[in-house]
Amino acid sequence: MDGTETLSKELQEIDGVITKHRGKHGELLGILEETQLLNEAQFLSEEALNHVALRTGVPLSRVYNVVTFYSFFNLKPQGKHKITVCRGTACHTKGSKALLEDIGLILGCGKALEDGEAFYTTPDNEYTISTVACFGQCALAPVVAIDGVIHSNVTTATLQKLLKKFSKRRITS
Amino acid sequence: MDSKMVSVRINGSEYSVPSGATILDACKRAGISVPTLCFLQDVAKNASCGVCLVEVKGAKSLVRSCTACVRDGIEIITNSARIRDARKTNVELLLANHPKECLSCVRNQNCELQEIAAELGVMHDRFVQTKKKMEWDTTSLSLVRDPNKCILCGRCIAVCGTVQTVHAISLSNRGIKTRVSTYMEKGLGNVACTNCGQCALVCPTAAIVERDDTDEVFEELLNPDKVVVVQTAPAIRVGIGEAMGMAPGSLVTGQMVAGLRRLGFKKVFDTQFTADLTIVEEAHELVQRLTNKGALPMITSCSPGWTKFAEHFFPDALAHLSTCKSPQQMFGALAKTYYAAKLNIDPRKMVVVSVMPCTAKKYEARRPEMMSAFEHWKEKRAWSADDAFYDVDYVLTTRELSRMFKESGIQFASLPAEEFDHPLGESTGAAVIFGATGGVMEAALRTAYEVVTGKTLTDINFVALRGMDGIKEAEVDLNGKKLKVAVAHTLGNARKLMEQIERGESPYAFIEVMTCPGGCLGGGGQPIPTTWEIRKKRAESLYAEDLGKTIRKSHENPQIIALYKESLKTPLGDLSHHPLHTSYQKRGLFVWKTNGHRKKEPVSTK
Ligand code: SF4
Ligand code: SF4
Ligand code: SF4
Ligand code: FES
């Protein structure tokens, strides 16, 4: 990154994003958000973060602080489908841990979902399973979001139904 | 602080305090002590620990006195059952996730967490651990981080970011996963960290400590095949006494020498010898740059945190750095060439240990270019790469040396004063003051003046360069040519002068930079705590030692004169180039991409 090499397309686009946000309120957050959206796998690569730090002059450690603080930011490539299980107190008492384990069984990634918390992308990059501390939908507990759609009062049976579509596709494709 | 006074009531008595004061300040002024843990005067104010709680009449909850300010008529209570209970609970919560390893911890009996737990009467281990065990960061050659012992006080982040403007560390994640991290968890050794150790100096616990080399040194001392010599930096003689339980600033040069002999070092030498040598070389370098229109201002290069800082943050301005090696490295190179030859010692069997106030010196000694003695001998003796050795083998901080003394049962305070060995133990007053901010500049001017003018400098005390102001300036008249010089300590202040250079607005010919607040006497390897009050006491002792020396100009050191006569011939000459001068590399910020030059793996740590 000494200025002589030509920048990849992604880094050029990031430059555009940075120019757009320069001087605006919440500059760094805005830049990072849009940079992540630019990325096909919806994540912030190290190269992208280096570039943002270099161009904005924000210290690398500070960039890291921000991207690890907000759960919106991903440091790893995201699967095509996003499954988010709420692990808040209400959902927990209504059995969200078991749901998480079910997902692990159905998608074949049981080991990675052990501690009642998860952030896992299946090796084929099809699914990302994550947990949140609370969706704010406690009345509907337990809550699972699949590709942005919130499903309430989820049971093992409904979960199986919901995931069937995916796993079928997965098996047949 | 606002000069308007307001009236406050603390524990029932009236006091008048400045209106901008925090409640903690107000209590201090009133002579009432309030316990604190995360708060650190002039450095950190994160209000994270909740140890400094007090009651304020009318407030619903208890108030953190380190950040809350007074207002007129405020009524404060600093001691009640509710306060005691809350303070204690907050510490108990910290302890829940803290390893209870005091007995085998390097900060045992020098730990603020331990102290506060004792002070507040914490007697129970009430809460269960909720955090998972985290990996140590052992990537740095200077420091080791144990995140399990971190109480998230934020002091290290504040000192690194605000005082040093390095920002090598920051908080990461949130909630229970919050921790102190380097970028992408790469580790201190793989990011732009200067190794200054100020983070370790302010850490209340053992979450950041110096890499411990005492076992290795003990082992070398027991090896009959090795000739183990030691050099001591100026700041050790005003620090080691303190670390051994004496009053801050105690000047203990003679006892230190005696103690080192008791440990078994064959020769006890002084880094001040090569500090004098640095001055002679550097003063000539300045004169050369002035006459040949070299890069000006010239900037001192003896502080390895600073040189690394420049390599990371000002890679295009490295021509301003003096090419002189630091006194530590000059010493190592000369010990294993000049001195080894003089005494007919096989340099491969010689072990050079330095005692430094500094953690960055550990890194400096492992820079791959710091093998000039080996380079010197390898052709003459047809040695292979297997024979390779560093100029300086081990660097111990003041704190490590104190541990060695204690382990060896040395009753430090009652040791007789002894003298350094010759010839590498001889030094002048100019070398002593290297340990204080402004000292190198003052020493250099004492010599440069005489080199340029050929006249004797009569008033050799450059008082304007002394003291603890962040940036100091002076003007000297060298044969009618007026030179402006500046002195900066802390990397934040150095950054200001560097930005001035980048803008093309620097009025200076010569700048001294020291990485640590107060200079080396406030180094990252010095006794804990190091406060401004203590720094001032250490500085006073150094200036007193200078005053007491009969020779106070580096170029008048008889052993330096002899060294040039017998070996180096002339300052900046061909013979001095290799052992005494060095070059710098453009590192930039993305260190992990350019790293990988480390030749020897770092030694293991306890
Ligand atoms: S850091 Fe302090 S409290 Fe923690 S184990 Fe070490 S001495 Fe004990
Ligand atoms: S050693 Fe200095 S530069 Fe490195 S993390 Fe600590 S304070 Fe920052
Ligand atoms: S490492 Fe030390 S100074 Fe830094 S936050 Fe943790 S306890 Fe505080
Ligand atoms: S000292 Fe005030 S909150 Fe820690």
Side-chain angles (χ1 to χ4, degrees), chain A residues 1 46 49-50 54 59-61 64-65 68-71 75 115 117, chain B residues 132 167 169-174 177 181-186 590 592:
Chain A
M1 216 167 278
E46 187 177 314
L49 293 177
N50 294 346
L54 185 77
L60 288 161
S61 63
Y64 185 63
N65 166 275
T68 55
F69 186 83
Y70 295 98
S71 57
L75 290 174
D115 301 331
E117 253 186 89
Chain B
K132 282 189 210 142
H167 300 279
I169 42 181
S170 175
L171 288 179
S172 73
N173 296 292
R174 73 196 119 85
K177 288 189 175 161
S181 292
T182 53
Y183 179 55
M184 296 292 205
E185 313 296 343
K186 286 177 186 296
F590 304 107
W592 58 93

Side-chain angles (χ1 to χ4, degrees), chain B residues 302-575:
Chain B
C302 27
S303 183
W306 149 242
T307 51
K308 191 157 181 276
F309 177 81
E311 290 177 324
H312 287 307
F313 295 95
F314 298 94
D316 296 323
L318 296 175
H320 290 279
L321 295 192
S322 161
T323 62
C324 288
K325 280 185 192 166
S326 72
Q328 157 172 290
Q329 294 307 136
M330 285 193 182
F331 183 95
L334 283 182
K336 291 186 179 184
T337 55
Y338 172 72
Y339 182 73
K342 213 171 158 131
L343 271 82
N344 203 13
I345 303 168
D346 180 345
R348 289 173 302 182
K349 296 201 168 139
M350 195 161 175
V351 177
V352 173
V353 175
S354 347
V355 187
M356 294 285 141
C358 178
T359 48
K361 292 275 169 198
K362 287 177 185 276
Y363 171 85
E364 184 188 35
R366 289 283 180 278
R367 288 174 79 116
E369 63 272 24
M370 295 300 176
M371 297 183 128
S372 44
F374 173 67
E375 297 295 325
H376 168 92
W377 291 111
K378 87 173 173 202
E379 271 161 47
K380 289 190 180 80
R381 307 256 167 115
W383 284 344
S384 75
D386 292 341
D387 296 297
F389 50 82
Y390 285 107
D391 294 337
V392 172
D393 298 274
Y394 300 98
V395 178
L396 300 171
T397 57
T398 314
R399 296 193 292 269
E400 287 165 274
L401 179 62
S402 76
R403 297 204 286 273
M404 290 183 74
F405 281 158
K406 285 177 192 162
E407 245 182 271
S408 307
I410 289 172
Q411 300 296 310
F412 189 79
S414 53
L415 286 174
E418 292 180 9
E419 297 283 326
F420 282 107
D421 287 303
H422 288 283
L424 309 184
E426 195 128 339
S427 71
T428 71
V432 181
I433 57 174
F434 256 63
T437 163
V440 175
M441 178 61 73
E442 179 166 348
L445 292 180
R446 289 180 190 174
T447 291
Y449 180 89
E450 300 201 352
V451 171
V452 174
T453 64
K455 287 184 255 177
T456 306
L457 183 65
T458 42
D459 180 13
I460 67 168
N461 300 315
F462 291 83
V463 187
L465 298 172
R466 299 182 183 179
M468 296 297 171
D469 289 343
I471 296 177
K472 294 165 278 186
E473 292 190 314
E475 198 172 63
V476 279
D477 191 328
L478 295 182
N479 262 356
K481 200 175 154 105
K482 291 221 174 2
L483 285 192
K484 273 196 129 183
V485 301
V487 168
H489 55 130
T490 75
L491 296 172
N493 286 319
R495 183 184 286 276
K496 288 183 197 152
L497 296 183
M498 290 309 284
E499 284 169 353
Q500 200 180 33
I501 292 173
E502 280 188 329
R503 292 195 304 270
E505 292 168 4
S506 180
Y508 308 113
F510 189 18
I511 295 175
E512 174 203 295
V513 172
M514 289 296 151
T515 305
C516 292
C520 308
L521 56 84
Q526 287 285 67
I528 297 171
T530 290
T531 62
W532 280 112
E533 221 170 281
I534 292 174
R535 287 185 187 97
K536 281 179 198 149
K537 290 202 174 120
R538 293 179 191 154
E540 275 164 27
S541 295
L542 286 177
Y543 286 108
E545 175 113 315
D546 168 33
L547 206 62
K549 288 256 189 185
T550 35
I551 304 177
R552 294 178 64 198
K553 295 171 192 161
S554 294
H555 56 287
E556 292 176 357
N557 179 334
Q559 289 305 328
I560 295 286
I561 296 170
L563 172 69
Y564 279 110
K565 212 167 170 183
E566 289 170 30
S567 169
L568 299 175
K569 303 304 169 206
T570 158
L572 305 185
D574 288 346
L575 291 170

Side-chain angles (χ1 to χ4, degrees), chain A residues 16-31 34:
Chain A
V17 171
I18 291 171
T19 319
K20 196 172 115 194
H21 285 271
R22 185 154 291 148
K24 288 201 190 134
H25 184 70
E27 182 178 331
L28 181 62
L29 276 177
I31 292 168
E34 222 173 296

Side-chain angles (χ1 to χ4, degrees), chain B residues 143 159-160 166 168-169 188 193-199:
Chain B
L143 299 156
V159 86
C160 186
V166 173
I169 42 181
L188 280 183
C193 157
T194 68
N195 301 306
C196 72
Q198 286 300 312
C199 49

Side-chain angles (χ1 to χ4, degrees), chain A residues 82-118:
Chain A
K82 203 166 159 57
I83 305 169
T84 313
V85 181
C86 180
R87 294 287 292 123
T89 319
C91 290
H92 176 75
T93 42
K94 292 266 187 109
S96 71
K97 188 170 180 198
L99 290 180
L100 195 61
E101 281 160 4
D102 288 344
I103 296 172
L105 285 174
I106 297 168
L107 300 180
C109 50
K111 271 262 152 47
L113 304 178
E114 246 169 354
D115 301 331
E117 253 186 89

